[in-house]
Amino acid sequence: MDAELLKNICLRFFPGAEIAGLEQIHNGHINLTYRFTANGRDHILQRINTDIFRDAAGLMHNICAVTAFLREKITAAGGDPDRETLTVVKTADGRDYYSDESGVYRVYLYITGAECFDRAERKGMFGESAKAFGRFQNLLAEFDATKLNETIKDFHNTPKRFENFERALAADKKGRAKGCGREINFYLARKTYCPLITERLADGRLPTRVTHNDTKLNNVMIDSATGKGICVIDLDTVMPGSMLYDFGDSIRFGATSAAEDEKDLSKVYCVPELYAEYADGFVSEMKASITPEEIKLLHDGAVMMTLECGMRFLTDWLEGDVYFRTSYEGQNLDRARTQMKLVADMENRREVFEEIIKNAINN
Ligand code: GN1
Ligand code: MG
């Protein structure tokens, strides 16, 4: 985006200030993210993708409510709320975001001395993200989920995702279906598995909680000095949901041996040691409230979130790459393939992973 335009937007939040060091940060598939300095302090500027998040006001309401709640909890526990939760910076006229014909923008305090990672670069890092997500969910246990807007309706409703996939396949807008029959059949064959979680949320067998819903490793800031997971970010999809979504999405992205778009599928599998590290960290923070049904379905959560995400990548490939940002042609198909490989691995070695969960619970 145009630097002058971005600078003017920053000024809506800091009128008269000197805006310096404006640079793009390449993180995430959805929003555009920049870093800048104003009044001697670093900040994040994000342009919210309103094609995807249609109700920006509702979304910012959620984020402000959740971060204010976290702020109080963190302060009460003697923590540093500027580093342990996101802090929304208001516009000069006191609003949660700024919007004009060029887009909808928000500003956060930049969390200093911490970084995000696409892969666990050090032993223990993935476990730290597990504790951060577990803590996040635990701190929000008393938050009234009915106060939250559903920022993307049916976000982790896997049967609905399946219907979207079938619709994209029937339309085959780009004529791409003939080139990916094997992938299509893999996802079609798992139709009856899709309602496993949604059905149980609907009839109360699984509790509805406040969940993050996008628990990738790179959505936790890792403190550079201590190596601890200090802050959960990317709160756009915080909504009522199941804990299995959060556990599952973390495993999908973080317990894998390779990148989400790795082309060489022989390199892609689910790593038991990483799986165990995450299960131990997450369960240790959630022990007080996890239910027997949730325990029983933790591994299914991992399989389901991977299946769902793969199906979404394949749907986007069939629709012409209109949702996920891509940097080369075929990236969404590559992503759909890695997810397939992971699903198959998690299905084939189910006992290995269920044993890991059993140990995490009994520890
Ligand atoms: C998107 O923007 P990012 O990378 O944090 C997506 C997630 C997917 C993920 C796949 C709002 O998240 O649901 O799991 O890509 N977020 C949205 O990498 O659709
Ligand atoms: Mg993200």
Side-chain angles (χ1 to χ4, degrees):
M1 282 183 71
D2 179 61
E4 208 45 41
L5 177 91
L6 287 170
K7 206 166 164 181
N8 282 327
I9 288 158
C10 295
L11 287 169
R12 300 287 177 163
F13 294 84
F14 300 98
E18 192 192 326
I19 307 295
L22 191 62
E23 59 167 356
Q24 189 171 357
I25 294 183
H26 298 277
N27 182 7
H29 300 336
I30 308 291
N31 299 314
L32 285 173
T33 305
Y34 303 86
R35 176 185 180 160
F36 69 95
T37 309
N39 297 337
R41 193 160 186 178
D42 287 345
H43 297 86
I44 288 289
L45 171 72
Q46 274 187 320
R47 180 171 182 272
I48 301 173
N49 184 331
T50 48
D51 289 337
I52 290 173
F53 297 108
R54 291 175 182 276
D55 175 16
L59 177 150
M60 288 310 291
H61 165 86
N62 282 3
I63 294 182
C64 289
V66 163
T67 53
F69 187 91
L70 289 173
R71 198 169 188 86
E72 265 184 36
K73 292 261 173 196
I74 291 162
T75 308
D80 175 357
D82 284 1
R83 294 190 78 232
E84 293 171 34
T85 174
L86 285 174
T87 305
V88 176
V89 176
K90 295 203 187 289
T91 61
D93 54 358
R95 294 157 51 92
D96 301 333
Y97 59 93
Y98 169 72
S99 79
D100 63 19
E101 59 288 347
S102 76
V104 178
Y105 303 86
R106 66 175 166 224
V107 168
Y108 290 123
L109 289 185
Y110 186 86
I111 297 172
T112 50
E115 272 178 281
C116 294
F117 296 86
D118 282 327
R119 300 276 309 277
E121 289 179 7
R122 286 189 300 273
K123 201 170 153 28
M125 187 183 273
F126 191 42
E128 279 303 322
S129 81
K131 286 188 210 154
F133 282 125
R135 214 179 304 126
F136 178 84
Q137 207 162 87
N138 225 18
L139 286 176
L140 288 168
E142 290 158 30
F143 186 98
D144 179 1
T146 62
K147 285 194 182 139
L148 292 177
N149 300 295
E150 215 178 329
T151 52
I152 299 182
K153 206 171 149 21
D154 296 321
F155 191 61
H156 282 317
N157 186 326
T158 316
K160 284 264 164 64
R161 296 288 189 185
F162 188 88
E163 283 172 24
N164 295 345
F165 164 53
E166 279 182 315
R167 248 196 313 276
L169 181 58
D172 193 19
K173 248 192 194 107
K174 297 276 165 181
R176 287 174 169 175
K178 59 180 181 307
C180 50
R182 210 176 58 85
E183 290 77 7
I184 290 167
N185 287 334
F186 181 91
Y187 290 106
L188 285 179
R190 283 155 181 81
K191 178 176 184 163
T192 53
Y193 184 57
C194 291
L196 190 84
I197 298 176
T198 43
E199 217 170 64
R200 285 169 175 75
L201 275 178
D203 67 19
R205 271 178 287 172
L206 284 171
T208 298
R209 301 174 182 263
V210 177
T211 46
H212 181 278
N213 296 309
D214 188 11
T215 49
K216 305 203 291 193
L217 173 67
N218 62 14
N219 282 333
V220 173
M221 308 277 309
I222 306 284
D223 189 301
S224 309
T226 64
K228 299 233 173 284
I230 48 157
C231 182
V232 170
I233 61 168
D234 198 349
L235 306 179
D236 296 331
T237 51
V238 170
M239 283 181 272
S242 166
M243 153 204 290
L244 303 175
Y245 299 158
D246 281 2
F247 177 78
D249 202 41
S250 290
I251 296 296
R252 173 191 82 74
F253 187 82
T256 161
S257 56
E260 200 175 60
D261 57 358
E262 172 61 54
K263 282 180 188 293
D264 179 354
L265 292 180
S266 71
K267 291 188 185 153
V268 183
Y269 56 94
C270 186
V271 184
E273 294 73 27
L274 288 172
Y275 194 115
E277 200 180 304
Y278 196 90
D280 287 345
F282 191 73
V283 166
S284 72
E285 293 288 333
M286 296 294 305
K287 234 174 203 160
S289 71
I290 194 166
T291 69
E293 186 76 356
E294 285 174 325
I295 293 173
K296 198 173 98 194
L297 294 177
L298 275 174
H299 183 63
D300 286 290
V303 185
M304 186 69 69
M305 286 301 97
T306 312
L307 178 71
E308 179 188 281
C309 197
M311 214 156 62
R312 292 173 64 197
F313 289 141
L314 189 58
T315 303
D316 202 30
W317 170 246
L318 294 171
E319 290 183 334
D321 309 310
V322 290
Y323 188 92
F324 297 105
R325 200 174 12 246
T326 52
S327 54
Y328 63 85
E329 162 115 357
Q331 192 173 17
N332 274 320
L333 183 57
D334 287 343
R335 290 169 176 156
R337 287 179 174 147
T338 60
Q339 305 306 293
M340 269 168 63
K341 182 76 194 292
L342 289 172
V343 167
D345 188 24
M346 289 191 277
E347 288 175 348
N348 294 339
R349 293 195 289 161
R350 179 175 273 276
E351 326 74 64
V352 173
F353 298 111
E354 294 202 319
E355 185 66 25
I356 289 173
I357 288 172
K358 209 163 95 200
N359 290 336
I361 301 288
N362 294 334
N363 263 342

